[in-house]
Amino acid sequence: MSSLIPGFLAWPLTGCVVLFTLGRFRYFRDTPVDRLVNRLFAWSAAALLLFRFATVPGCPGPVYEVAIGCVLMMTTGLHAIGCARRNDIDPDTRRRRQRRSRLFAVLATIAILLAGAAARGDGRTIDMGLTWDGLVVAFAFCTPVVINTAVFARMVVHEFRIGDLTPSERVVAASMLVSMLVDWIGVALSGLQLFLGWPQLGPHLPRAELTFTVGVLVNAVAPMFPLSMALLRAIGLDREARECRRLRPLWRDLTAAVPEIVLRPATDTGTPPDPATRIFRMTVEIRDALMHLAPYLPAQPPMSENAEDYAKRIAYAATARRTGLPPTFATPQPALGSGDFHADLRQLLGLARVWRGAYTGDPS
């Protein structure tokens, strides 16, 4: 079966969608809607792969029909999300509607497979047309696409009107509405072409494959930012993880001097805390350590003390306490701090930048 998308472009785009789908299954699976979206993209990725294989010479004819069936199953995901987000439908009714939607898509796929076999038996390529198999394909393809996308679009428009979407959800929902609008235009053009003979736009199904591929890519790009952030967190390249690494030498040396201030988790789950939790704990523990080390600071410096000088004084206090030297002051000295977490974190990151050159472990 021919395709309107050149292979040198279609294969890389399909690979990107497959990788995106695998990433969603790995990092976004906590909520029921997340799992529905994952299944939607899984069917989309399967359809794109089958469309690509269908263009390979010698590929069996039914592969193209199965790809169309995957498109129909993808639209049942839109129907399921549209029902899941509605509060006026009870769970039993929602499940019945979803079962009917999936059953209709399966039956439509079987009808398309039978129509494709009949068309090949007559030496024709499967497509919409005024033959009985062409009309079966037109009805079996267009009906679930229009119904399922309409259910989803109704839900999105409703939530846009009541303001029940986060900014990121609005971006994703708007992109899906745009892609569905393109699909509806494609269906309308096919209807005009089929029954009026105008305009002459070539085969119907390759055009439907093109609009489907564009829609999948648009809907994969829209949520790419949160997935990218999840991947960065997984490999430790997000902002919080980088800040943890920058603070670690300072935290390690100060908590070695004041080990009693280290916060121990109540239970050990075997899973390390996320970077945001770690950066909060490290900041609190460094601030506590600085308070305990304040009596060990050397004489009060001039008002123009810079970060390097302060780091040297903290390093002296840490080494003095760790090695058992007596405090310098009978009363605590004021330590670095503003009382604001983010301001304190910025100050501690500045201290951490000069810490390696200041700390030698020698109190002399």
Side-chain angles (χ1 to χ4, degrees):
M1 188 74 179
S2 62
S3 174
L4 297 178
I5 309 173
F8 72 88
L9 185 62
W11 280 106
L13 293 178
T14 300
C16 290
V17 172
V18 171
L19 292 176
F20 170 81
T21 302
L22 294 175
R24 278 205 58 94
F25 270 91
R26 174 63 179 84
Y27 297 109
F28 295 94
R29 54 186 179 183
D30 297 330
T31 68
V33 172
D34 277 336
R35 292 189 285 273
L36 289 174
V37 172
N38 292 346
R39 287 198 288 271
L40 182 151
F41 275 107
W43 284 114
S44 299
L48 291 178
L49 283 172
L50 291 173
F51 278 134
R52 301 282 65 77
F53 287 126
T55 62
V56 177
C59 181
V63 171
Y64 195 83
E65 289 95 279
V66 174
I68 297 173
C70 290
V71 174
L72 300 182
M73 294 304 297
M74 182 276 296
T75 66
T76 66
L78 295 174
H79 185 282
I81 295 172
C83 290
R85 297 282 292 192
R86 290 181 58 182
N87 296 324
D88 59 337
I89 303 177
D90 61 88
D92 291 336
T93 303
R94 186 181 299 124
R95 283 191 290 269
R96 283 196 301 272
R97 291 186 180 183
Q98 292 175 8
R99 284 196 296 268
R100 285 200 298 266
S101 174
R102 289 192 292 267
L103 178 60
F104 189 24
V106 170
L107 294 176
T109 301
I110 294 173
I112 291 172
L113 285 168
L114 294 175
R120 283 190 299 274
D122 292 339
R124 293 181 284 103
T125 301
I126 182 175
D127 198 13
M128 301 179 194
L130 295 180
T131 59
W132 76 266
D133 52 274
L135 291 174
V136 167
V137 171
F139 177 80
F141 178 78
C142 295
T143 304
V145 168
V146 172
I147 292 175
N148 292 333
T149 55
V151 170
F152 181 84
R154 178 183 181 278
M155 178 273 298
V156 173
V157 171
H158 174 71
E159 296 203 6
F160 264 117
R161 288 165 55 186
I162 65 176
D164 199 24
L165 296 173
T166 65
S168 60
E169 288 175 334
R170 284 177 175 270
V171 172
V172 174
S175 69
M176 297 186 80
L177 280 179
V178 170
S179 65
M180 284 185 289
L181 179 61
V182 173
D183 290 336
W184 295 335
I185 292 174
V187 170
L189 289 177
S190 292
L192 291 173
Q193 182 180 358
L194 184 64
F195 294 108
L196 302 180
W198 184 89
Q200 297 299 324
L201 300 175
H204 299 262
L205 292 182
R207 186 170 63 247
E209 176 201 345
L210 175 62
T211 58
F212 167 74
T213 303
V214 172
V216 172
L217 291 173
V218 170
N219 294 321
V221 169
M224 190 66 75
F225 179 73
L227 177 59
S228 300
M229 294 305 298
L231 290 172
L232 289 176
R233 286 193 295 270
I235 60 179
L237 293 180
D238 59 305
R239 179 174 58 85
E240 289 84 1
R242 295 197 307 270
E243 290 173 345
C244 284
R245 288 194 294 273
R246 289 164 58 188
L247 282 181
R248 186 165 297 280
L250 176 64
W251 173 85
R252 181 191 61 232
D253 295 333
L254 295 188
T255 55
V258 195
E260 63 270 20
I261 56 90
V262 176
L263 302 174
R264 303 293 181 186
T267 58
D268 185 7
T269 62
T271 302
D274 61 272
T277 302
R278 290 203 307 271
I279 195 67
F280 179 79
R281 288 185 55 183
M282 291 173 73
T283 301
V284 171
E285 290 169 357
I286 292 173
R287 295 295 308 131
D288 287 347
L290 290 175
M291 292 177 60
H292 283 77
L293 293 174
Y296 294 86
L297 290 171
Q300 184 70 23
M303 295 298 293
S304 61
E305 179 186 38
N306 55 33
E308 289 82 0
D309 293 336
Y310 183 75
K312 291 177 182 178
R313 295 175 66 237
I314 294 296
Y316 174 92
T319 306
R321 192 181 195 279
R322 185 172 56 81
T323 56
L325 294 180
T328 305
F329 301 96
T331 58
Q333 299 299 301
L336 180 71
S338 65
D340 176 77
F341 172 77
H342 296 289
D344 284 354
L345 176 59
R346 288 193 297 270
Q347 290 176 318
L348 294 180
L349 289 171
L351 181 61
R353 278 195 296 269
V354 298
W355 180 251
R356 290 182 183 274
Y359 185 74
T360 62
D362 183 4
S364 60

